Amino acid sequence: PIKTQKSNKEVPMEFTTQELSAIASTFAKTFEKKIEQKDDCDISLLEHSLRETLQKLAQEIMSELLRLLEPERREKIPCDCGGELGFERRRGAKFKSSFGWVSYERDCYGGCVCKKGKSPLDENLGIIPGKITPELGRLLALAGVELPYGASSKLVEEFLLLRLSENSIREETQRFGQYQAEREEHWREQAADEVYLQEREHSLSGKAMPKRLYGSLDGAHTRIEDPKEEEKWREVKVGCWYEVEAVPSSQRNARHRKKEEIGRQALRAKKQQYYCDIQKSDEFASLFWATGCQARADLAEELVILGDGAKWIWKLAEQFYPKAVQIVDWFHAEERLEKVATDAFRKGSERGEWLERNRTALWEGDVDFVIQSCLSLSERSQEAKDAQTYFDNNKKRMRYDLFREQGYMIGSGTIESACKQIVAHRLRCSGAQWKVEGARLTAKARAARLSHNSDWNAIAAMRAKLPLAT
């Protein structure tokens, strides 16, 4: 399907097998004559030559199609300023598409007092001469969120047979990130508007809300190479809203089976909606609330906030969702015990016995036992002293016996995976160099792409209205 610039309605363009067969037959016969002139030809050469030829053919078809779609010429047409434009002449132009540069001619109008002209063909189809088309922009951004810009440029050349600079891919990718930032700013405004929230709640009355929704927060650092920045490393705060489902028995792997052996249900996240920013927690708070409103976290029958022991996470949870169930990730809590055991005991046997005893107590929700156990070691171990405070501060978030009984997910692997996919795999990949804004926008574009919902399609539609120059 294609979308017109004005109506934004999808217009299906389908061809019957009979129509395509006639075109293919004519093209194949012409192509066959070229092949006969070559002594050596195999399927690889044939396929590559066909790709190059089809690319050129697509350029010609696009150019001819634009000629056919030219609106009927008129002596006068309205100007956007309210004045009048008169026909002047036909002018040539070109734009860069996923097939390469497409050249065409069209009627141009001018002569208004505002000194601005326009082409009805360009306006009707959303063409901006000299620019990258929205479809090519979408493909470049897809490459840019997956790979470093230099590698993306090479990949695009292999797949599309187009040579584009890494700057073009960077600009398109970060443009998508900017669109996502604009959407998030709109969400922030809505989430701060009490009238909007009341109307929203009324409009959703009677509709199914999430029965049990999860929210997770975490942070990961990326290196900044901007000489204007005093900090060389900045934390990218990452959030995710998601639901959870049991893993079907037919899809369970060794890790899932191991969980079942120790009494944990094999669960996995679904319908993940990611968001991120490079901000301090106080600034990030509004995004946490705004994206939660989009995910209907405030209207969910039950909300669960999962995270590590970072104070900023629980501060935000208490501020915006005080009724939510709060759970400290089991693996972070267990890791604290391992650090204490390593620091406090020299003998492996003593270390193992202490660790097993306290791990079992923690698993059963006896946090007081763990606190006292750490307290008894606090004079000889700084790790134990720190752990005592950690467990004491998070007692209500470590009732793992009750959490398991209620069927809650107790591991924050979903948000840790998000940090790896958004920050580690893209921002911290080999050779990456960032200024703060570039890192921020690239991360936002990647988060939108990884999300289950329609974030990527929404910002692709925004890209269609605001093309970017090569």
Side-chain angles (χ1 to χ4, degrees):
I2 63 169
K3 292 183 178 180
T4 62
Q5 185 75 3
K6 283 187 175 181
S7 66
N8 208 34
K9 294 179 180 178
E10 292 191 357
V11 183
M13 296 176 60
E14 297 180 356
F15 296 88
T16 65
T17 303
Q18 186 175 6
E19 289 173 326
L20 293 175
S21 294
I23 297 171
S25 178
T26 301
F27 184 78
K29 288 177 182 177
T30 303
F31 206 75
E32 180 187 25
K33 296 177 181 178
K34 299 290 184 181
I35 296 174
E36 290 175 348
Q37 299 174 11
K38 300 190 73 66
D39 297 330
D40 55 335
C41 183
D42 57 22
I43 190 64
S44 296
L45 178 61
L46 179 61
E47 184 174 2
H48 188 77
S49 299
L50 190 58
R51 286 179 64 206
E52 290 182 330
T53 305
L54 286 173
Q55 184 187 58
K56 295 176 182 177
L57 178 63
Q59 294 172 15
E60 294 297 323
I61 291 174
M62 181 76 82
S63 181
E64 178 63 16
L65 185 58
L66 294 180
R67 185 186 68 80
L68 296 174
L69 292 174
E70 178 90 53
E72 183 178 351
R73 184 180 298 169
R74 293 156 58 188
E75 289 301 316
K76 301 286 185 181
I77 62 172
C79 182
D80 294 337
C81 73
E84 204 172 48
L85 295 167
F87 171 75
E88 290 187 337
R89 61 188 175 92
R90 290 184 65 77
R91 291 180 181 172
K94 64 179 183 178
F95 56 84
K96 199 158 197 175
S97 73
S98 53
F99 310 118
W101 284 106
V102 175
S103 299
Y104 67 109
E105 287 190 348
R106 77 279 197 237
D107 290 347
C108 292
Y109 293 74
C112 183
V113 292
C114 70
K115 297 183 179 180
K116 293 182 179 179
K118 66 179 179 179
S119 157
L121 177 65
D122 292 347
E123 188 175 66
N124 289 347
L125 297 180
I127 299 172
I128 307 295
K131 311 286 186 174
I132 287 174
T133 62
E135 176 63 9
L136 178 56
R138 182 184 69 85
L139 296 175
L140 297 185
L142 275 175
V145 298
E146 295 293 339
L147 294 169
Y149 297 126
S152 298
S153 178
K154 294 176 183 177
L155 190 67
V156 166
E157 184 173 356
E158 287 290 332
F159 276 89
L160 297 182
L161 305 180
L162 296 176
R163 287 190 177 183
L164 288 147
S165 70
E166 60 182 86
N167 281 337
S168 293
I169 298 176
R170 178 186 294 107
E171 288 170 358
E172 286 294 343
T173 305
Q174 293 178 10
R175 173 73 72 180
F176 268 58
Q178 181 59 45
Y179 294 152
Q180 182 63 9
E182 291 172 9
R183 296 179 75 228
E184 291 170 353
E185 185 58 34
H186 179 60
W187 297 342
R188 280 185 166 106
E189 292 172 359
Q190 290 180 327
D193 186 343
E194 291 185 10
V195 174
Y196 167 80
L197 292 177
Q198 290 171 359
E199 292 176 348
R200 164 180 167 268
E201 187 171 355
H202 178 73
S203 67
L204 294 173
S205 178
K207 296 182 180 179
M209 293 295 110
K211 291 185 178 298
R212 179 180 286 178
L213 186 70
Y214 287 76
S216 288
L217 295 169
D218 205 349
H221 287 80
T222 188
R223 185 171 176 81
I224 301 299
E225 302 290 346
D226 189 347
K228 297 179 182 178
E229 283 289 317
E230 293 182 3
E231 298 179 64
K232 291 298 181 183
W233 289 87
R234 293 287 295 273
E235 184 179 51
V236 183
K237 289 183 171 59
V238 180
C240 182
W241 300 104
Y242 57 100
E243 296 178 23
V244 166
E245 65 181 0
V247 181
S249 56
S250 60
Q251 299 178 22
R252 293 175 189 171
N253 54 30
R255 178 171 57 85
H256 296 138
R257 290 190 290 273
K258 186 176 180 180
K259 286 182 178 181
E260 291 178 327
E261 290 175 4
I262 59 173
R264 287 182 59 192
Q265 187 179 7
L267 302 172
R268 66 183 178 190
K270 66 175 183 178
K271 299 182 180 179
Q272 296 95 320
Q273 299 178 44
Y274 301 106
Y275 58 97
C276 61
D277 216 320
I278 300 179
Q279 292 178 319
K280 294 181 179 179
S281 57
D282 290 345
E283 298 169 329
F284 189 73
S286 61
L287 183 59
F288 176 54
W289 168 244
T291 56
C293 290
Q294 290 297 311
R296 301 179 183 177
D298 55 323
L299 303 177
E301 293 182 24
E302 188 177 29
L303 181 63
V304 182
I305 304 295
L306 247 171
D308 59 23
K311 291 181 180 179
W312 69 270
I313 294 175
W314 305 119
K315 180 181 177 182
L316 295 185
E318 293 283 0
Q319 179 181 354
F320 294 103
Y321 305 103
K323 295 181 180 180
V325 177
Q326 298 180 12
I327 302 176
V328 166
D329 168 53
W330 163 257
F331 296 104
H332 278 87
E334 186 182 36
E335 185 180 38
R336 280 285 182 147
L337 293 177
E338 292 173 354
K339 288 181 178 180
V340 173
T342 301
D343 187 55
F345 298 97
R346 293 184 179 181
K347 293 182 179 180
S349 57
E350 291 180 345
R351 183 187 307 135
E353 289 173 6
W354 185 93
L355 180 59
E356 185 59 30
R357 189 164 57 249
N358 283 272
R359 183 189 283 127
T360 300
L362 186 63
W363 183 252
E364 296 301 331
D366 192 354
V367 188
D368 287 328
F369 178 89
V370 176
I371 292 171
Q372 289 301 316
S373 187
C374 291
L375 177 61
S376 67
L377 300 174
S378 60
E379 290 187 3
R380 74 188 200 200
S381 169
Q382 184 61 44
E383 285 287 355
K385 189 174 182 179
D386 293 342
Q388 176 200 342
T389 303
Y390 174 80
F391 287 113
D392 195 41
N393 289 340
N394 292 289
K395 281 178 63 174
K396 68 177 184 179
R397 305 181 183 107
M398 293 181 172
R399 294 302 309 274
Y400 298 115
D401 54 334
L402 297 181
F403 298 153
R404 288 184 287 114
E405 186 180 319
Q406 294 296 320
Y408 294 134
M409 178 181 275
I410 62 173
S412 61
T414 301
I415 193 64
E416 290 180 14
S417 173
C419 287
K420 289 178 181 177
Q421 292 185 78
I422 295 171
V423 183
H425 292 176
R426 185 60 190 91
L427 299 188
R428 292 210 306 258
C429 57
S430 179
Q433 294 184 342
W434 301 103
K435 293 183 178 180
V436 173
E437 191 65 3
R440 174 177 176 265
L441 296 181
T442 300
K444 284 185 177 293
R446 183 160 173 78
R449 176 59 183 165
L450 293 173
S451 291
H452 167 81
N453 59 14
S454 58
D455 279 357
W456 186 259
N457 292 336
I459 56 181
M462 294 172 72
R463 169 64 182 87
K465 297 178 182 178
L466 295 171
L468 181 68
T470 54

